[in-house]
Amino acid sequence: MSKTASKPKLRILIVEDDPMMQLGLEQTLSTVSDFEIVGQAEDGYLAIEAAATLKPDVVVMDIGLPRLDGISATKQIKEKFPNMGVVMLTSHRLQTEVVAALSSGADGYCIKGANIERLVTAIQAAKEGGSYLDPQVARLVMNNLHPVVPAEKREALHTLSEREMEVLKWIVEGKSNNEIAEILYLSPNTIKTHVRGLMNKLSVDDRVQAAVIALRSGLV
């Protein structure tokens, strides 16, 4: 009788200089059955070395790190390993820092102290090649990126189907494809198709840009 091959776990590198926070993250994320903590680093330079050595699927990165900050470390990691996911987990909420982090290539931005489910969602989204933006900082990005939505972008919103519009609203809420699939009782592949369709209609490259257009246009 053949055994079903187990699904490989999502490998995570934690970059955090606070020992207590580092321990808390390791213990919390280890409770997620699909996750495996493969290493930890205390500063930006060590993070780059660990990323190269351990080849994690996703790096959970703090911004305020000694020697080399998390934004600079993320930029170097994404330049070397563009398919490696990076999720910023930080207490920093300044508009300039949020935008700088996303500009460095970060796939997600989470605020420390928020519901752990948001971090799990961000990690899963990064692994899938998606993006996640904590609702607490979404409007900061909205006010900086495309302060005025071009008329063609606003008009493009009206070309979205009812289902695509529904999916877009859940993207703004920070939901992953799998979560949206559960909410709408559809398959993840169907949701991926809708996401791809709405991104094409809005002429954007990622979910964050789509969310920004929705927010700036008063959709939510």
Side-chain angles (χ1 to χ4, degrees), residues 14 16 22 25 36-37 75 89 96 102 108 125 127 138 165 177-178 182 196 202 206 209 213 218:
I14 296 173
E16 169 63 57
Q22 191 180 85
L25 275 174
E36 177 186 2
I37 309 303
K75 187 173 187 299
L89 178 63
T96 52
L102 296 175
K127 175 62 170 64
M165 189 70 78
N177 285 354
N178 287 340
E182 290 181 7
R196 193 179 308 115
L202 296 177
D206 58 47
Q209 292 178 15
I213 290 174

Side-chain angles (χ1 to χ4, degrees), residues 22-75:
Q22 191 180 85
L23 178 62
L25 275 174
E26 180 181 13
Q27 292 178 339
T28 302
L29 293 178
S30 293
T31 64
V32 182
S33 60
D34 294 339
F35 289 0
E36 177 186 2
I37 309 303
V38 296
Q40 300 184 24
E42 295 76 37
D43 67 54
Y45 287 119
L46 292 176
I48 296 169
E49 292 176 9
T53 303
L54 301 172
K55 300 292 194 301
D57 295 308
V58 177
V59 180
V60 176
M61 178 84 71
D62 190 12
I63 287 182
L65 297 171
R67 297 209 300 157
L68 183 70
D69 66 84
I71 294 174
S72 299
T74 295
K75 187 173 187 299

Side-chain angles (χ1 to χ4, degrees), residues 14-16 45 54 92-93 116 126 157 164 173 195 202 214:
I14 296 173
V15 183
E16 169 63 57
Y45 287 119
L54 301 172
H92 294 231
R93 305 186 190 205
I116 189 63
L157 283 170
E164 287 171 340
E173 292 296 321
V195 171
L202 296 177

